[in-house]
């Protein structure tokens, strides 16, 4: 079996993990200094958010040089040291590569913009105006038109994200080769794989450039006409050289798409990272709402993916990442210290007992929560700012107070505040004021306390990682939803050879019952309350039974 099917990935948002040189910004040496911690947790792979040179319009997702390390993160020597020291601990490293777009400060774009006959012109997507205006009405993911006019050459370039993130033209074989060369450079350095940013939007449908659409640009461009050809080519030119973990970030995909992107024959990607679940609590203005999810919807989405991908393709498992709010605030309960702890553990158990490769987002293993940002000034994220401007000031669709409330629920910045290491200054992240505020709850939620408490959330994650290494049923078992219509309990079975696992998760703050008669000679693999009373689940209780012979 491929190593990445048995692995657990830990995502590091480099800017906020650990600062080693006291400039208020996390860096590579900071990660080196925390490798013992990661080893103790037991994770197999680290996913580093982009570490390349970037003007930081979108925190590194706007790359100006793929061959250089962002100076505020350190040097190439620092990266090599990190890779070597991680490998000594059997921890692998995957890099985040952004190939749908570059920074407008990348030399390819500067050349491209300089004149219509520059050899790099065709590296990007340039279109003539339509009747003196934008070619079509596509909007960027970060609000406003997806087209930016260039006064020098009098054409528009496409940017599905910010205007400082021009889209590359994947139709151009030279662009494709540049991207493969970049990946091969890092593979030669010894990296173990890649996370490919919005990789399913790279192939645009030429026929749509002058056609209006009712949905956002990146959704129109998702799963375009040549995307599988390109990913197969990438696979042949890069992935097939070594057994790499390749995870494609793929917004707006169906299960049918998923089967094509991450088939078991490894002809494209190892796995996809898809977001259907992340829309479960969206409102009229998408993520900007204060709606809470409905458990039945959540169960339905997760179960459909578990069943649909089984023995066909491979999926990632996650509750949050650097683009999402904190999962314990969103799907758990932070209203009391007890519920915080129980619900954080329950969510971990619920996810880690499913099929797929689990991703832990930094601080999730401590139960880090959303942040009580007070005003607009506390935020740093371009998406949050632009959405505020668009919805409150331009469209006047949402009132200022409402938007602040929505931001408190959904902003990407909740995930991006410094890792909470201890009760010291700035939570032990840096001696200098960090680039974004520290969540004031670091005095009660921090790694040092978690490690000193044998009953902590941290140890639940540690145990879940160990269980995945011990029980093959967790990796390969067939998934079966039970208690489908229950509004409080998420319960499912995993079936493998003659073994069976039953997972119960109470998503409510009420005591609820289940039918214990399906258990015969069970043992308990993991639970989040000291004592379990058969047939009853206390608030946010979760328990996993395992039985050798099926009932
Ligand atoms: C997805 C990344 O996860 C996100 O942080 C970024 O803003 C966009 N892609 C654009 O690169």
């Amino acid at each position: 079996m491929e190593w990445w099917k048995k692995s657990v990935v830990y995502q590091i948002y480099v800017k906020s993990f650990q600062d080693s040189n006291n400039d208020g910004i996390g860096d590579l040496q900071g990660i080196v200094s925390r490798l013992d911690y990661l080893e103790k947790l037991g994770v197999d792979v680290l996913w580093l958010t982009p570490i390349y040179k970037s003007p930081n319009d979108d925190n590194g997702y706007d790359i100006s040089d793929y061959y250089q390390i962002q100076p505020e993160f350190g040097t190439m020597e620092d990266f090599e040291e990190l890779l070597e020291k991680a490998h000594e601990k059997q921890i692998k490293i995957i890099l985040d590569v952004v190939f749908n777009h570059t920074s407008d400060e990348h030399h390819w774009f500067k050349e491209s913009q300089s004149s219509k006959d520059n050899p790099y012109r065709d590296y990007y997507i340039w279109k003539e105006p339509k009747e003196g205006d934008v070619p079509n009405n596509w909007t960027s993911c970060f609000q406003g038109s997806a087209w930016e006019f260039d006064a020098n050459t009098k054409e528009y370039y496409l940017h599905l994200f910010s205007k400082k993130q021009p889209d590359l033209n994947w139709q151009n074989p030279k662009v494709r080769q540049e991207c493969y060369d970049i990946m091969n450079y890092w593979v030669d350095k010894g990296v173990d794989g890649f996370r490919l940013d919005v990789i399913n939007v790279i192939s645009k449908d030429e026929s749509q450039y002058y056609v209006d659409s009712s949905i956002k640009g990146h959704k129109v461009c998702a799963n375009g006409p040549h995307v599988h050809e390109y990913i197969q080519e990438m696979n042949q030119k890069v992935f097939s050289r070594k057994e790499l973990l390749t995870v494609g970030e793929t917004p707006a995909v169906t299960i049918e798409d998923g089967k094509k992107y991450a088939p078991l024959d490894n002809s494209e990607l190892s796995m996809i990272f898809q977001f259907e679940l992340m829309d479960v609590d969206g409102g009229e203005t998408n993520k900007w709402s204060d709606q809470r999810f409905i458990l039945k919807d959540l169960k339905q989405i997760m179960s459909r993916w578990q069943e649909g991908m089984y023995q066909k393709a491979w999926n990632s498992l996650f509750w949050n990442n650097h683009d999402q709010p904190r999962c314990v605030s969103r799907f758990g309960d932070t209203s009391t210290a007890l519920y915080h702890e129980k619900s954080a553990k329950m969510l971990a158990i619920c996810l880690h007992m499913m099929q797929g490769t689990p991703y832990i987002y930094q601080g999730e293993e401590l139960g880090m929560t959303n942040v009580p940002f007070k005003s607009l000034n506390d935020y740093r994220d371009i998406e949050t700012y632009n959405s505020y401007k668009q919805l409150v000031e331009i469209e006047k669709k949402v009132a200022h107070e409402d938007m602040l409330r929505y931001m408190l629920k959904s902003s990407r910045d909740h995930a991006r505040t410094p890792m909470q290491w201890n009760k010291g200054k700035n939570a032990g992240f840096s001696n200098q004021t960090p680039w974004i505020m520290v969540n004031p709850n670091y005095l009660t939620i921090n790694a040092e306390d978690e490690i000193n408490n044998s009953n902590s959330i941290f140890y639940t994650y540690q145990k879940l990682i160990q269980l995945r290494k011990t029980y093959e049923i967790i990796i390969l078992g067939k998934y079966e939803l039970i208690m489908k219509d229950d509004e409080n309990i998420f319960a499912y079975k995993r079936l493998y050879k003659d073994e069976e696992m039953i997972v119960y998760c109470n998503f409510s703050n009420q005591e609820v019952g289940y039918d214990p008669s399906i258990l015969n000679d069970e043992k308990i693999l993991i639970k989040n309350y000291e004592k379990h009373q058969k047939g009853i689940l206390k608030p946010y209780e979760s328990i996993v039974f395992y039985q050798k012979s099926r009932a």
Side-chain angles (χ1 to χ4, degrees):
M1 194 194 322
E2 296 88 339
W3 60 266
W4 40 263
K5 286 193 178 150
K6 301 178 244 180
S7 297
V8 175
V9 181
Y10 187 90
Q11 185 191 351
I12 293 186
Y13 197 71
V14 181
K15 202 169 180 177
S16 302
F17 191 61
Q18 177 69 65
D19 178 16
S20 75
N21 62 349
N22 292 315
D23 61 358
I25 296 170
D27 49 45
L28 297 172
Q29 282 300 336
I31 305 174
V32 172
S33 74
R34 294 297 183 184
L35 283 173
D36 288 345
Y37 169 85
L38 297 163
E39 185 180 32
K40 188 176 174 74
L41 180 60
V43 292
D44 307 280
V45 185
L46 306 180
W47 151 17
L48 309 184
T49 50
I51 55 169
Y52 327 91
K53 205 151 182 244
S54 159
N56 268 337
D57 188 51
D58 183 20
N59 277 357
Y61 286 89
D62 47 322
I63 299 170
S64 54
D65 190 339
Y66 294 84
Y67 293 99
Q68 279 193 55
I69 302 288
Q70 174 77 333
E72 62 198 23
F73 291 161
T75 61
M76 192 60 87
E77 288 69 42
D78 292 327
F79 177 72
E80 285 162 358
E81 183 183 336
L82 170 60
L83 192 60
E84 193 181 320
K85 294 205 166 138
H87 282 170
E88 277 165 20
K89 293 184 182 299
Q90 314 305 325
I91 296 176
K92 295 182 158 60
I93 292 193
I94 65 170
L95 294 185
D96 207 325
V97 279
V98 186
F99 288 139
N100 174 65
H101 44 269
T102 67
S103 162
D104 64 341
E105 297 182 32
H106 194 290
H107 83 91
W108 299 339
F109 188 73
K110 289 189 188 157
E111 296 269 355
S112 183
Q113 199 176 22
S114 67
S115 74
K116 278 190 186 167
D117 53 13
N118 185 284
Y120 286 93
R121 185 68 173 178
D122 206 22
Y123 268 44
Y124 295 86
I125 299 165
W126 292 98
K127 293 287 152 211
E128 286 174 1
K130 184 170 85 181
E131 292 154 23
D133 204 348
V134 287
N136 67 26
N137 70 350
W138 291 356
T139 51
S140 123
C141 202
F142 296 154
Q143 310 295 344
S145 170
W147 297 100
E148 182 71 11
F149 188 64
D150 173 57
N152 178 33
T153 57
K154 308 215 169 9
E155 285 188 336
Y156 286 90
Y157 66 85
L158 179 70
H159 60 91
L160 295 181
F161 295 87
S162 97
K163 63 179 180 212
K164 283 186 68 60
Q165 294 168 299
D167 279 49
L168 282 165
N169 174 19
W170 272 74
Q171 289 270 68
N172 182 347
K174 284 197 204 136
V175 167
R176 304 207 294 274
Q177 193 55 48
E178 298 265 18
C179 295
Y180 308 149
D181 290 346
I182 291 163
M183 282 196 270
N184 280 324
Y185 169 82
W186 291 101
V187 172
D188 290 340
K189 269 209 183 293
V191 305
D192 303 287
F194 300 99
R195 179 262 188 190
L196 298 115
D197 193 71
V198 287
I199 197 64
N200 65 325
V201 307
I202 57 175
S203 168
K204 277 81 180 174
D205 185 345
E206 296 270 291
S207 68
Q208 298 301 303
Y209 285 135
Y210 289 96
V211 179
D212 285 349
S213 157
S214 60
I215 51 173
K216 285 211 173 241
H218 74 288
K219 293 203 169 157
V220 189
C221 298
N223 317 311
H226 303 288
V227 68
H228 294 287
E229 240 169 78
Y230 299 157
I231 296 178
Q232 282 161 22
E233 184 179 73
M234 189 186 295
N235 184 298
Q236 282 150 20
K237 301 226 172 173
V238 184
F239 308 162
S240 59
R241 297 180 54 213
K242 191 174 152 187
E243 208 189 296
L244 300 171
L245 185 170
T246 55
V247 51
E249 189 203 24
T250 50
V253 288
T254 61
I255 292 171
E256 284 317 303
D257 297 321
K259 289 182 196 164
K260 293 188 201 145
Y261 286 115
L264 297 184
D265 68 5
N266 292 327
S267 55
E268 294 203 11
L269 301 161
S270 314
M271 64 190 89
I272 54 164
F273 202 93
Q274 52 75 31
F275 296 92
E276 191 175 344
L277 183 66
M278 296 295 120
D279 294 333
V280 68
D281 52 359
E284 212 183 297
T285 42
N286 300 319
K287 67 187 275 179
W288 304 111
S289 85
D290 54 5
Q291 229 162 267
R292 184 142 170 112
F293 73 100
I294 293 168
L295 183 66
K296 271 165 89 173
D297 298 340
L298 180 144
K299 295 202 288 193
Q300 196 262 350
I301 296 170
M302 289 179 108
S303 301
R304 231 173 351 88
W305 280 92
Q306 285 288 305
E307 288 156 9
M309 298 285 266
Y310 178 65
Q311 291 186 339
K312 301 257 169 19
W314 200 254
N315 209 349
S316 310
L317 302 170
F318 67 96
W319 284 123
N320 46 200
N321 73 352
H322 65 293
D323 294 330
Q324 303 293 332
R326 291 283 179 180
C327 65
V328 67
S329 303
R330 185 178 188 180
F331 300 112
D333 187 339
T334 56
S335 64
T336 70
L338 179 74
Y339 289 175
H340 168 258
E341 175 219 314
K342 298 300 178 200
S343 68
K345 291 177 178 173
M346 180 277 288
L347 288 171
I349 295 170
C350 181
L351 191 79
H352 282 247
M353 292 294 104
M354 291 188 186
Q355 182 165 57
T357 297
Y359 285 69
I360 301 170
Y361 180 68
Q362 71 180 43
E364 178 189 333
E365 75 282 13
L366 314 174
M368 274 178 67
T369 66
N370 278 358
V371 185
F373 294 116
K374 291 211 167 58
S375 71
L376 204 51
N377 285 339
D378 289 338
Y379 293 87
R380 297 285 175 273
D381 170 32
I382 182 172
E383 183 199 48
T384 306
Y385 271 103
N386 289 3
S387 300
Y388 177 91
K389 227 192 282 161
Q390 184 71 26
L391 297 171
V392 179
E393 293 171 1
I394 302 175
E395 291 178 28
K396 301 196 185 344
K397 221 176 182 174
V398 180
H400 166 80
E401 296 304 329
D402 289 338
M403 189 61 187
L404 284 189
R405 215 173 57 248
Y406 301 161
M407 282 155 56
L408 275 179
K409 189 194 137 226
S410 303
S411 170
R412 307 197 294 183
D413 278 336
H414 292 293
R416 299 177 177 190
T417 60
M419 178 76 174
Q420 293 164 209
W421 293 106
N422 55 44
K423 288 190 174 65
K425 191 175 177 192
N426 298 320
F429 166 72
S430 176
N431 283 334
Q432 193 55 249
T433 306
W435 68 277
I436 186 171
M437 71 182 266
V438 176
N439 191 328
N441 67 13
Y442 72 96
L443 294 171
T444 50
I445 300 176
N446 63 70
E448 197 171 273
D449 285 358
E450 288 281 306
I451 285 172
N452 290 334
N453 167 10
S454 61
N455 187 35
S456 68
I457 302 166
F458 178 91
Y459 290 109
T460 294
Y461 275 89
Q462 186 192 58
K463 182 153 189 198
L464 287 166
I465 297 167
Q466 286 162 359
L467 285 173
R468 185 165 285 265
K469 310 226 171 305
T470 318
Y471 290 87
E472 215 167 50
I473 183 171
I474 300 174
I475 302 168
L476 296 174
K478 185 172 192 299
Y479 171 97
E480 200 180 289
L481 180 68
I482 55 176
M483 304 179 73
K484 182 168 165 275
D485 294 320
D486 196 287
E487 287 170 4
N488 299 310
I489 300 177
F490 189 168
Y492 60 89
K493 288 185 182 181
R494 300 291 304 277
L495 307 166
Y496 182 63
K497 297 181 179 162
D498 58 350
E499 299 166 47
E500 180 176 52
M501 248 170 63
I502 309 175
V503 181
Y504 289 105
C505 301
N506 180 2
F507 271 73
S508 81
N509 60 5
Q510 306 293 312
E511 201 169 276
V512 287
Y514 69 90
D515 172 11
S517 69
I518 54 173
L519 302 170
N520 56 8
D521 114 44
E522 77 281 2
K523 74 174 185 193
I524 294 170
L525 292 192
I526 191 164
K527 57 188 167 57
N528 67 347
Y529 273 83
E530 206 181 321
K531 286 210 178 68
H532 175 70
Q533 196 184 336
K534 254 194 185 175
I536 290 177
L537 295 171
K538 295 189 207 58
Y540 303 106
E541 182 167 5
S542 178
I543 187 158
V544 180
F545 296 107
Y546 168 88
Q547 44 201 23
K548 198 76 187 132
S549 51
R550 296 186 195 174

